[in-house]
Amino acid sequence: MSLFQNIVIILILIAGAGFLSLTEIALAGARKVKLKILAESGDVRAQKVLDLQENSADFFAASQIGLNAVAILGGILGEGAFRPYIAEFVSRIYDGPWTENISFALSFTLVTSLFILFADLMPKRLAMIAPEKISVAVINPIQIFIKICKPLAWIINAIANLLFRLFKVNTIRDDNITFADISAVMDAGAQAGVLQKQEHHFIENVFELEERNVPSSMTTRENVVFFTLTEAEDSIRQKLAQYPYSKFLVCNENIDQVIGYVDAKDILVRILNNQKINQLNESTIRNVLMIPDTLTLSELLDRFRSSKEKFAVVINEYALVVGVITLSDIMITVMGDWVTPMEEDQQIFKRDADSWLIEGSTPIEDMKHALGIDEMPDEENYETLAGFMMYKLRKIPRPADIVIHAGYKFEVVDVDHFKIDQLLVTRLLQDHKESETSDSEE
């Protein structure tokens, strides 16, 4: 054959190998979620791609048969076609015993480079750009190719399956989507501008409901406002006026003797009807939902839905009340500042670009979001920033106690009756962070 004919054949082989490489990466990288959307919109080809992904053994066997056959044939034809011309060129520069070897090496390098560039590298990079679009476009011709290679592919697959069973290799693809997968997609969407920063934050918070425990969002024991059965009318009126709550606990003598709760609306009705409001009875007091402090916020949402309640009392393992929580508290956890009035005292106050004043009762998850910290050590052992300090210091903190973690210095500023009221958190300088090898406490 002439040089022109050889070149044409090699170009055809490169095109065939490039098509198979393009198809292989596109079908492997096509995302099922997007393909299902295309299939539901009426694209029959998308459903064919999904079916092929479910039974991909025949395709990959056929693809490898085609790729290897084309590569071997291309090498044989290319080396034989180009070597005489390359040998003639080399002999003009060097005419010696190594001429044939040099010609062979140059022709082999030329053909291999052409196949690598145009039959492998470029098609695969193109396939990664839009795998779903390409896989849908090539599915019909590739199915024909699979049928042609079916007999040989069956033999190869049978041998491969036998070897997999022999070495106990699981060949079933795991398509379960984890939170990490969804989080990665959300991050990519935020970087591309598809998701706004606030929307990204909302979605992250929704998934965190499964990990965050009730104490991270509840109103703590010392901040719970409650009535007793013998509460004076003036005291009840004062509490109603002072605290903007819609529900109040009713206890016998102290907060650990919970009887139920009253709705502020019911008390207002009694006031409008000129009835005494300090005579709390069964018609006024409602049964309260009691929950353990080990529940996650996601589990609490299920309890609220099943009980039709929006208010619960949180108790610990010793049956002591540790706080109360409402459906609004969970919504605040998800929505953040969008449902929290900005004029109210905030738990996290940013002083400047590298320092924050943070209340000790701030939930760890909120602090992590504010500071951009991915992980805290042994998070299962505490719920708040104060708990983190006590866990790391292994003592009751005092003012000026310091813990260093993740490039931040946490310094206790104010302590009230052994309770950490406020901390100063400072971002450390880069050289300090580089020299830090582990958490330190002072």
Side-chain angles (χ1 to χ4, degrees), residues 284-303:
T284 308
I285 300 175
R286 305 184 184 187
N287 292 327
V288 66
L289 179 64
M290 308 289 289
I291 62 168
D293 60 357
T294 54
L295 287 185
T296 64
L297 293 178
S298 177
E299 291 172 328
L300 177 58
L301 276 176
D302 292 335
R303 295 286 182 92

Side-chain angles (χ1 to χ4, degrees), residues 353-376:
D354 295 312
S355 66
W356 296 259
L357 281 174
I358 306 181
E359 292 184 5
S361 59
T362 302
I364 283 294
E365 293 297 333
D366 294 343
M367 184 272 294
K368 286 166 60 180
H369 278 304
L371 302 184
I373 297 176
D374 295 328
E375 188 175 355
M376 298 294 286

Side-chain angles (χ1 to χ4, degrees), residues 10 74-75 77-94 98-115:
I10 289 172
L77 292 176
E79 192 275 332
F82 294 130
R83 186 168 60 172
Y85 299 95
I86 294 175
E88 182 180 350
F89 174 77
V90 170
S91 63
R92 295 178 184 177
I93 303 172
Y94 168 78
W98 291 91
T99 301
E100 286 296 321
N101 292 333
I102 294 173
S103 302
F104 171 78
L106 289 176
S107 62
F108 174 80
T109 302
L110 175 62
V111 174
T112 303
S113 299
L114 289 174
F115 271 87

Side-chain angles (χ1 to χ4, degrees), residues 77-315:
L77 292 176
E79 192 275 332
F82 294 130
R83 186 168 60 172
Y85 299 95
I86 294 175
E88 182 180 350
F89 174 77
V90 170
S91 63
R92 295 178 184 177
I93 303 172
Y94 168 78
D95 190 9
W98 291 91
T99 301
E100 286 296 321
N101 292 333
I102 294 173
S103 302
F104 171 78
L106 289 176
S107 62
F108 174 80
T109 302
L110 175 62
V111 174
T112 303
S113 299
L114 289 174
F115 271 87
I116 291 175
L117 181 61
F118 296 107
D120 194 58
L121 182 60
M122 290 180 64
K124 287 181 177 179
R125 290 183 64 178
L126 289 172
M128 291 300 295
I129 296 173
E132 295 83 17
K133 195 173 185 179
I134 293 174
S135 62
V136 168
V138 302
I139 186 62
N140 288 330
I142 206 63
Q143 284 187 323
I144 296 173
F145 178 73
I146 291 172
K147 289 180 180 178
I148 295 173
C149 298
K150 185 83 172 177
L152 185 56
W154 183 87
I155 296 172
I156 293 174
N157 277 326
I159 297 172
N161 291 333
L162 179 62
L163 292 174
F164 282 137
R165 283 196 296 269
L166 182 63
F167 292 102
K168 298 181 180 179
V169 177
N170 185 12
T171 58
I172 299 175
R173 178 176 172 176
D174 184 8
D175 289 320
N176 292 329
I177 299 177
T178 65
F179 171 68
D181 299 328
I182 298 174
S183 180
V185 172
M186 291 190 301
D187 290 339
Q191 292 175 5
V194 178
L195 284 176
Q196 295 182 4
K197 182 178 180 181
Q198 193 69 35
E199 294 171 336
H200 187 200
H201 182 63
F202 292 164
I203 298 172
E204 278 188 334
N205 286 346
V206 169
F207 281 100
E208 284 180 1
L209 294 182
E210 190 66 40
E211 299 177 358
R212 293 183 63 163
N213 289 334
V214 167
S216 67
S217 298
M218 72 181 182
T219 300
T220 55
R221 175 188 179 98
E222 60 270 20
N223 295 318
V224 174
V225 181
F226 64 94
F227 302 145
T228 64
L229 290 176
T230 58
E231 187 109 13
E233 185 170 332
D234 290 342
S235 176
I236 295 178
R237 288 178 180 271
Q238 183 180 358
K239 289 180 179 179
L240 287 172
Q242 183 177 356
Y243 301 101
Y245 300 142
S246 61
K247 296 175 176 60
F248 294 84
L249 277 185
V250 178
C251 306
N252 189 11
E253 294 180 357
N254 58 61
I255 192 172
D256 293 315
Q257 298 177 346
V258 178
I259 297 174
Y261 75 94
V262 292
D263 199 308
K265 181 179 65 176
D266 295 336
I267 298 179
L268 180 59
V269 170
R270 295 178 70 89
I271 293 174
L272 293 175
N273 292 332
N274 296 320
Q275 297 176 334
K276 290 184 177 182
I277 61 175
N278 62 335
Q279 295 179 349
L280 301 175
N281 50 42
E282 293 181 358
S283 62
T284 308
I285 300 175
R286 305 184 184 187
N287 292 327
V288 66
L289 179 64
M290 308 289 289
I291 62 168
D293 60 357
T294 54
L295 287 185
T296 64
L297 293 178
S298 177
E299 291 172 328
L300 177 58
L301 276 176
D302 292 335
R303 295 286 182 92
F304 279 153
R305 182 170 58 249
S306 61
S307 64
K308 309 300 182 184
E309 288 286 348
K310 299 179 180 179
F311 179 77
V313 175
V314 185
I315 61 174

